[in-house]
Amino acid sequence: MKRLLRGRKTLIIAFVAATASFLLGVTLPMNLRANQPLQPIQAQVLAVSHSQEEQPISNINQFSEAIAHRVEFSEQAIAQLQEIRFQSAVPSQFKGTSIREAKLDSQHKAIALTFDDGPWPTTTTQILDILKENNIKATFFWVGRYLQTYPKIGKQVAAAGHAIGNHTWNHQYIQYNEDGAAREIDRTSSLIEELTGIQTSMFRPPGGILNNGLAAYAQKKNYTVVMWSADSFDWRSLTESLMDNVMRQAHSGGIVLMHDGGGNRSRTVKVLPDIIARLRKEGYIFVTVPELLQMQEQESKQQEIGQK
């Protein structure tokens, strides 16, 4: 009998370990496993096999319940990882187009904060802390060579659940032929996916230039070219005027341009909490650019239904 029980225990442990191995080895995105340290969700999935060795299961019913619980948890973990992976996708109707804002009913006061030219040491992480304190998800447009230099900061942004867009590899204002534009954009998107698992479908041209070959290539490749409706001018303005620049142009469906990288952005860090507080006081909620466009899509569908 003891030999039989030991055999059953060994079989149970082997089955649970195989189940956990399958969930990690097959179901989780390859690039997340290859390029990122284990996140809490993944670590908990890994713990399935170890926990079974430490605490023997007394009967087959408990074992079945434990397996059901583990599978349910693993499905939730996978769903969360997939949400992170595809968080930067926009509705299909906006792909290959250029947008400056979302067209929303004025009653829905939603606005998107966007940050360009990172990831950047110190200021990007400071901005992440401010957004976390205020429970806000923003949209970051990355320069490829900076992401290559500061990959850990980039992973922090993605792990926090913010949306990610492409801002070229070198951030130059020159004219590009198609091959040059492809190198700038494709290389950056490849690195974003390699490091974070995110397949971004958003592109923002440096300086907002739409006629130097970059935007044309991006649209050809089905990116949404994301411009802005409110410019903080944080790259040239005094701290005191940043607030006025944003508030003067803020409106429902708006996209706010700020910077977390590309230079000294301490003024942006200093005024950001006040900008958030003022916008909240005026009734705004904060969403990512993809979420903003999803809201427009939903409103359009509701209007169509109402007209029938």
Side-chain angles (χ1 to χ4, degrees):
M1 175 62 76
K2 291 183 179 179
R3 186 175 301 173
L4 179 61
L5 289 174
R6 282 199 300 271
R8 176 178 292 183
K9 179 180 176 183
T10 301
L11 179 62
I12 290 171
I13 292 172
F15 177 76
V16 174
T19 301
S21 177
F22 173 80
L23 289 169
L24 285 172
V26 178
T27 317
L28 293 179
M30 282 290 292
N31 44 19
L32 282 175
R33 290 188 289 108
N35 296 290
Q36 295 192 52
L38 287 176
Q39 300 298 323
I41 293 171
Q42 295 164 293
Q44 291 179 57
V45 175
L46 270 178
V48 173
S49 58
H50 300 305
S51 65
Q52 297 302 324
E53 293 176 4
E54 295 167 359
Q55 298 183 359
I57 300 173
S58 59
N59 59 60
I60 196 67
N61 290 332
Q62 290 179 346
F63 170 70
S64 300
E65 290 174 2
I67 288 295
H69 173 73
R70 298 299 187 183
V71 170
E72 180 183 359
F73 171 79
S74 299
E75 288 175 349
Q76 294 172 354
I78 292 163
Q80 290 179 44
L81 289 169
Q82 289 289 65
E83 183 179 354
I84 291 173
R85 178 181 169 88
F86 295 109
Q87 67 186 294
S88 297
V90 300
S92 59
Q93 72 181 82
F94 298 102
K95 292 183 178 180
T97 68
S98 177
I99 61 107
R100 294 183 180 273
E101 60 188 8
K103 298 176 181 177
L104 298 183
D105 188 310
S106 59
Q107 293 180 349
H108 296 142
K109 296 187 73 172
I111 199 164
L113 302 181
T114 68
F115 299 90
D116 285 9
D117 300 353
W120 201 255
T122 307
T123 47
T124 297
T125 52
Q126 288 173 333
I127 287 171
L128 280 181
D129 289 341
I130 294 169
L131 295 173
K132 182 178 180 180
E133 289 170 6
N134 287 277
N135 194 27
I136 290 172
K137 301 303 181 188
T139 305
F140 289 78
F141 289 91
W142 282 343
V143 175
R145 62 191 176 101
Y146 297 151
L147 178 59
Q148 185 180 57
T149 305
Y150 307 111
K152 290 184 179 179
I153 300 175
K155 290 180 181 181
Q156 277 184 271
V157 176
H162 301 287
I164 307 302
N166 184 319
H167 202 36
T168 72
W169 187 266
N170 287 299
H171 198 277
Q172 295 177 331
Y173 300 151
I174 62 176
Q175 192 71 29
Y176 290 91
N177 59 25
E178 185 164 312
D179 288 342
R183 285 192 296 270
E184 286 289 314
I185 295 173
D186 294 349
R187 187 180 179 188
T188 302
S189 286
S190 293
L191 184 60
I192 290 171
E193 184 174 3
E194 177 187 337
L195 290 176
T196 70
I198 294 172
Q199 298 173 327
T200 185
S201 56
M202 295 183 294
F203 172 75
R204 175 171 282 172
I209 300 172
L210 294 172
N211 60 356
N212 66 346
L214 290 171
Y217 177 80
Q219 288 178 304
K220 180 179 178 180
K221 290 297 181 178
N222 231 19
Y223 287 85
T224 302
V225 176
V226 180
M227 302 294 283
W228 55 87
S229 59
D231 193 341
S232 68
F233 291 104
D234 59 349
W235 55 276
R236 72 179 187 187
S237 298
L238 297 174
T239 302
E240 292 74 18
S241 62
L242 298 186
M243 172 79 75
D244 292 336
N245 292 339
V246 172
M247 298 308 300
R248 186 177 61 253
Q249 303 170 80
H251 62 270
S252 180
I255 298 173
V256 180
L257 170 64
M258 291 182 280
H259 295 81
D260 65 316
N264 183 350
R265 306 306 180 197
S266 59
R267 289 177 298 183
T268 304
V269 173
K270 182 179 179 180
V271 77
L272 181 58
D274 294 331
I275 290 175
I276 292 170
R278 278 282 301 275
L279 288 169
R280 274 213 168 114
K281 187 176 181 180
E282 294 197 7
Y284 285 96
I285 62 170
F286 300 90
V287 297
T288 65
V289 170
E291 288 172 333
L292 202 64
L293 297 178
Q294 289 164 11
M295 291 175 71
Q296 177 178 330
E297 181 183 52
Q298 187 62 31
E299 282 194 7
S300 298
K301 289 179 179 179
Q302 290 174 349
Q303 289 174 1
E304 290 176 4
I305 293 172
Q307 292 172 356
K308 291 182 180 178

